[in-house]
Amino acid sequence: MTDTAPPTGTAPPTDPAPSTGLSLILGEMARQRGDALGSLADPQVQARARDLAHAARDSGRLLLLGMGASHFVNRMAEPEYRRLGLDATAMPLSEALYTPLPPGPRAALIASQSGASGEVGRYLQTPAQDERRFGLTLDPHSPLAQALPCLIGPGGAERGFAATRSLVLSVALHAAVLEALGQESGSVRAALESPDTLDLTPALDTLRSADTLVFVGRAELTGLAEVCALHAAELARVPALGFEGGQFRHGPIELLRPGLGVVLLRTGGPSADLTDTLARQCVEAGLRPVVLDCAGGEAVPGTVWLALAPGRGLAAVLNAVFPLQRLLLDFASDRVRQVGKPRHARKVTLER
């Protein structure tokens, strides 16, 4: 345990005084739903979403660029753009800088909550050629917002170290673009309005003694699994890995052993049964995996089965993200006294 701290239970602490970092994170979480709903109702966001949708439809291609949590949110939205017929690709902005895609007509969305990371600045200096560029950010005064037409979430840049409010707002801004492309957004709004009352005590009790965490998802929940691993590493300072379900089966499944914490994110569609099979394999290996079920399935014996409101696409992401935020904060608070106060990283990374 790092900087030993007492357990916090399953609800965010009401007195975050010992940790300024934690108080900032809780403050962001307190207003994330309202800000996200506000962004969906914002006429300027809707107009910019239509512009991006038209550009993507004109070329048939959409490149989604970001770093850290912004990239993982792009990964959550990527399957939804594909379902609407677009050739959508999500890649880290750093990869686009050093091993770019061949030039060609396409729309590109550069996502950065701060709009000021080092990679954003360098990418803006590269020639656009036939690429029609748009931004997604929370800071209307950032270099990204000044350089490109942007989808801008309300409330200003996020102050907390971990991406909580910025993640939820970014999902909502993608939902606005998907709505402009013809996808219904009522289920996304319903997910943002539904209270999160899930009892996480069994899940926290199961994961508390884990020395390493593995998160596994498929389709739109792959990016959520990846960002959960990011949060576990940066907040709880434990080794954490996020996998697409098929990728986990191809080798990393050898990690299964007592002492490993496994969280499976179960989406609907043809992959749901595959998640059930993996859950049984975890049980056979002596583990009790935590399963967040977004598809209304039947619990697999030997698991901690958390039944969420059934949903697909970004609605499923939102149904899962709020309990996962609480779970990871509580897990981190058991291990780190000053949760959310980084030792080596920065909120805005300026890679040199």
Side-chain angles (χ1 to χ4, degrees):
M1 182 177 292
T2 305
D3 298 334
T4 305
T8 62
T10 60
T14 57
D15 179 14
S19 172
T20 301
L22 180 58
S23 67
L24 291 174
I25 292 172
L26 294 176
E28 299 288 356
M29 291 171 60
R31 61 193 183 102
Q32 60 188 352
R33 291 174 182 264
D35 284 356
L37 287 166
S39 69
L40 287 172
D42 186 340
Q44 291 184 323
V45 168
Q46 294 169 351
R48 191 64 73 211
R50 288 192 295 270
D51 293 341
L52 174 55
H54 291 153
R57 284 291 188 208
D58 286 345
S59 65
R61 301 179 64 200
L62 177 60
L63 178 60
L64 305 168
L65 300 171
M67 296 298 297
S70 295
H71 168 62
F72 295 134
V73 174
N74 287 344
R75 292 267 285 153
M76 299 172 205
E78 180 184 22
E80 296 307 290
Y81 290 114
R82 291 178 181 169
R83 286 174 181 143
L84 293 174
L86 292 177
D87 180 3
T89 301
M91 64 188 299
L93 190 48
S94 56
E95 183 179 349
L97 281 169
Y98 303 119
T99 54
L101 295 177
R106 58 177 171 253
L109 179 63
I110 303 167
S112 170
Q113 75 86 22
S114 70
S117 72
E119 293 87 358
V120 166
R122 289 198 291 278
Y123 195 80
L124 291 175
Q125 295 172 6
T126 64
Q129 300 185 47
D130 293 330
E131 187 173 87
R132 293 184 61 184
R133 294 176 175 175
F134 296 81
L136 185 156
T137 186
L138 304 190
D139 187 348
H141 307 294
S142 65
L144 180 61
Q146 298 302 307
L148 297 179
C150 281
L151 295 142
I152 300 176
E158 186 173 57
R159 297 176 62 206
F161 177 52
T164 52
R165 172 174 149 268
S166 64
L167 188 154
V168 172
L169 271 171
S170 297
V171 170
L173 293 171
H174 275 291
V177 180
L178 291 164
E179 184 177 42
L181 287 164
Q183 186 179 90
E184 67 84 25
S185 61
S187 58
V188 168
R189 288 181 170 85
L192 288 169
E193 293 169 347
S194 299
D196 170 25
T197 58
L198 196 64
D199 181 10
L200 300 177
T201 304
L204 184 62
D205 288 345
T206 297
L207 298 176
R208 182 173 277 123
S209 61
D211 55 33
T212 303
L213 296 182
V214 168
F215 299 85
V216 182
R218 289 181 184 264
E220 65 272 11
L221 299 185
T222 299
L224 185 55
E226 293 168 334
V227 83
C228 283
L230 168 64
H231 288 344
E234 67 187 2
L235 293 176
R237 301 170 186 166
V238 299
L241 301 168
F243 290 98
E244 189 275 332
Q247 287 288 80
F248 183 71
R249 295 291 300 276
H250 282 254
I253 196 169
E254 287 297 314
L255 290 170
L256 295 182
R257 56 168 174 77
L260 179 72
V262 176
V263 179
L264 306 180
L265 308 181
R266 185 178 189 269
T267 188
S271 69
D273 290 343
L274 298 174
T275 302
D276 295 345
T277 299
L278 180 55
R280 295 187 188 97
Q281 289 180 295
C282 290
V283 173
E284 291 168 0
L287 304 176
R288 192 180 184 201
V290 174
V291 182
L292 277 79
D293 177 24
C294 299
E298 184 176 346
V300 173
T303 67
V304 175
W305 194 273
L306 303 178
L308 306 177
R312 292 294 304 275
L314 297 186
V317 168
L318 291 169
N319 286 335
V321 75
F322 298 118
L324 282 167
Q325 285 178 342
R326 290 195 292 124
L327 180 63
L328 289 170
L329 267 184
D330 288 346
F331 178 81
S333 295
D334 276 357
R335 294 166 177 261
V336 177
R337 179 169 297 278
Q338 293 186 317
V339 174
K341 182 178 180 180
R343 297 178 301 179
H344 310 294
R346 299 176 58 181
K347 179 64 179 175
V348 180
T349 301
L350 302 175
E351 185 181 55
R352 291 181 174 87

